[in-house]
Every structure is written in C-alpha cells, then in structure tokens.
Amino acid sequence: MPLPGHRNEGWHAPVRRVVFTAVVLAFAALATPAPSAGKDPTASSREAMVRTQIEARGIRDQAVLQAMRQVPRHRFVPEARGKEAYGDHPLPIGLGQTISQPYIVALMTELLALEEDHKLFELGTGSGYQAAVASRIAARVFTVEIYEQLAASAAARLRDLGYENVAVRNGDGYSGWPEEAPFDAIVVTAAADHIPPPLLEQLKPGGRMVIPLGNPFFVQQLVLVTKDAEGRIEETPVIPVRFVPLLGH
Ligand code: SAH
C-alpha cells in the first residue's frame, strides 16, 4: 500500500498547478489595466459638468465644450477641495480669491468668440483655469495677476500641465500688456465699476471684451464690449454675476 504521502503527492500536483496558474493569472489581471483604467477617472466628472451645468444652460460652441472637457479643473483648485472641483459653484483659491463657477468660465469663453489665430489678454489669472480653457482655442493667452503668490503658482501649474501658449505676469492688469497689444479678445475676471481705458485701447477693431461691470462689492452685470472696425464701442449686458473686486490701480 503506498504511503499516504505518496498518494497525497499524486493528488496535489495537479491541484498545485491549478493554484499556481490561478495565482499567475490573478497577478496578470492586476498588471493588465482593466478596460476603463486607461481612462482618466476625472473625465466622467468633467463630462457630467459639461452636460448638466454648461450645455443645459445653452452653451453651444463646440470648441468651448471641448476645452471644458479637456482642462483638468481639479488641478486648479486647492488639493483639499479636489472633490468639489466639478461642482456647480466657484471655489476659494487662497488670498480671498476664487476660481469661477464652470458655467461662468464657459459663458465668458463663448462670448469672446475665440478663433485659433487669436491673441487673448486676461486680467486676473487667479488659478489659471480660465486662461487654460481659453488656451485650448486661441493661439496665445497673456494673463496678469496682481498677487505674486497666485501668479507664481498659476504659472507653475500651467507649465506642469503643458499649456505652453499661456504667458503669466505678476502686476496690475489695469494697464493691460502694451508690448503684446492689440488683442483680438480681452477678458476681465475681477469686478470693475468702469472699463479700464488702457484695455479698451488695446482691443483690436472688431475685437471683443468680456467684463463684470458694476458695484465690485455687490452684484455686477457681465458685459460684452465690442469695438467695430471704426472703433465704435458697444456694450451688451448678458447676465448678473458676482466677481471678486478689481484691486490696485
Ligand atoms: N480667472 C481666474 C479667477 C479670477 S479671480 C481663474 O480662472 O481662476 C480674480 C483674480 O483677479 C484674483 O486672483 C485677483 O487677485 C486678480 N486681480 C484683482 N485685481 C487685479 C488687477 N488689478 N490686476 C491683476 N489681477 C487682479
């Protein structure tokens, strides 16, 4: 009679092979990406943001919708607020400043009617998010931020994310960026009680400016300012908004 060990040996060899194979397969499964793992997990949050907050409110410009889908908004908010990045609201970015609500960024970008050869000036870099979105459509974006700390962190963030067509400068954006003027489009992302004359001067004939105008400490109107070929200015109020006040000058 064979020793129990021998019989066991006979039984266990195939079982061991099966177990071994299963373990190898399990490791292979861990190493091989699942079908969805190659995708950016935040892409679905952005898709939902675009559908429910932006398209649903009437934004139709495909280039704008595409840019809003692409730019990783969660990288532009403080890490601790990452989970709220795709919510339907502004968020604090430090120094009492905010990153605008996604819909407002989309609306402003649509109103600018950017084209791929356009040069845009932005007053109020903040997190750099609006600049990043616009940079997916326009050729070059020049943005000025009055707080050195915000300008430095936005510049580093934009560089890390590879947005090479955005130039960030620390200073008072009230005087624009004369060396790069004139601009096809200008966006002001802080509330002003008047249109800064240097910005109006730096807007090309045929150009468009979007600016929150009104009481900087209360509610403003988002205004589309156009300059026609003869230099005539027209102002069209769009919707009531609340921006942080324009500082300096
Ligand atoms: N566009 C930003 C949000 C802007 S919040 C984003 O996408 O995140 C408004 C910003 O304008 C703040 O960061 C504020 O510091 C800046 N700001 C206010 N007055 C300014 C001025 N005169 N020149 C440049 N930046 C200014």
Side-chain angles (χ1 to χ4, degrees):
M1 193 174 167
L3 291 170
H6 288 144
R7 201 169 56 214
N8 286 349
E9 184 72 6
W11 263 100
H12 282 184
V15 171
R16 253 194 249 117
R17 258 198 307 279
V18 168
V19 169
F20 177 76
T21 310
V23 168
V24 167
L25 286 176
F27 272 104
L30 282 179
T32 313
S36 64
K39 276 205 203 150
D40 172 358
T42 60
S44 59
S45 306
R46 277 194 296 285
E47 186 56 44
M49 170 189 85
V50 166
R51 258 187 294 106
T52 63
Q53 302 171 31
I54 298 173
E55 277 186 307
R57 293 194 178 107
I59 303 294
R60 290 288 173 267
D61 184 328
Q62 288 306 311
V64 173
L65 298 174
Q66 193 51 28
M68 299 295 295
R69 278 191 194 102
Q70 272 176 19
V71 178
R73 183 172 163 93
H74 62 284
R75 299 283 302 269
F76 292 80
V77 304
E79 233 169 293
R81 311 297 292 252
K83 284 209 166 62
E84 299 164 75
Y86 296 100
D88 194 11
H89 46 73
L91 281 170
I93 55 170
L95 298 166
Q97 306 307 317
T98 53
I99 175 173
S100 305
Q101 179 188 5
Y103 168 65
I104 295 296
V105 173
L107 176 63
M108 291 178 104
T109 312
E110 183 173 68
L111 289 167
L112 292 170
L114 296 172
E115 291 177 18
E116 61 185 23
D117 61 344
H118 276 182
K119 237 171 141 174
L120 169 73
F121 174 74
E122 178 189 37
L123 185 161
T125 316
S127 67
Y129 180 66
Q130 170 75 73
V133 168
S135 80
R136 299 305 80 204
I137 310 170
R140 297 175 76 194
V141 177
F142 298 87
T143 178
V144 177
E145 168 55 51
I146 203 160
Y147 283 112
E148 210 213 318
Q149 195 183 319
L150 290 176
S153 57
R157 177 178 297 126
L158 291 161
R159 197 183 46 240
D160 288 351
L161 290 169
Y163 295 109
E164 281 166 9
N165 59 340
V166 183
V168 182
R169 186 186 257 186
N170 172 223
D172 189 338
Y174 190 89
S175 45
W177 196 313
E179 308 91 298
E180 292 294 343
F183 297 98
D184 301 281
I186 294 179
V187 62
V188 177
T189 65
D193 57 10
H194 65 278
I195 305 172
L199 299 191
L200 214 43
E201 256 165 55
Q202 292 174 30
L203 187 64
K204 265 189 199 170
R208 294 157 81 88
M209 184 192 309
V210 176
I211 178 170
L213 280 179
N215 183 338
F217 301 96
F218 187 47
V219 178
Q220 308 89 41
Q221 277 290 327
L222 192 63
V223 176
L224 170 65
V225 181
T226 54
K227 187 192 251 189
D228 72 11
E230 281 73 49
R232 278 186 302 256
I233 302 300
E234 202 174 306
E235 295 180 29
T236 314
V238 183
I239 52 160
V241 285
R242 270 188 118 106
F243 276 76
V244 291
L246 182 73
L247 308 168
H249 64 272

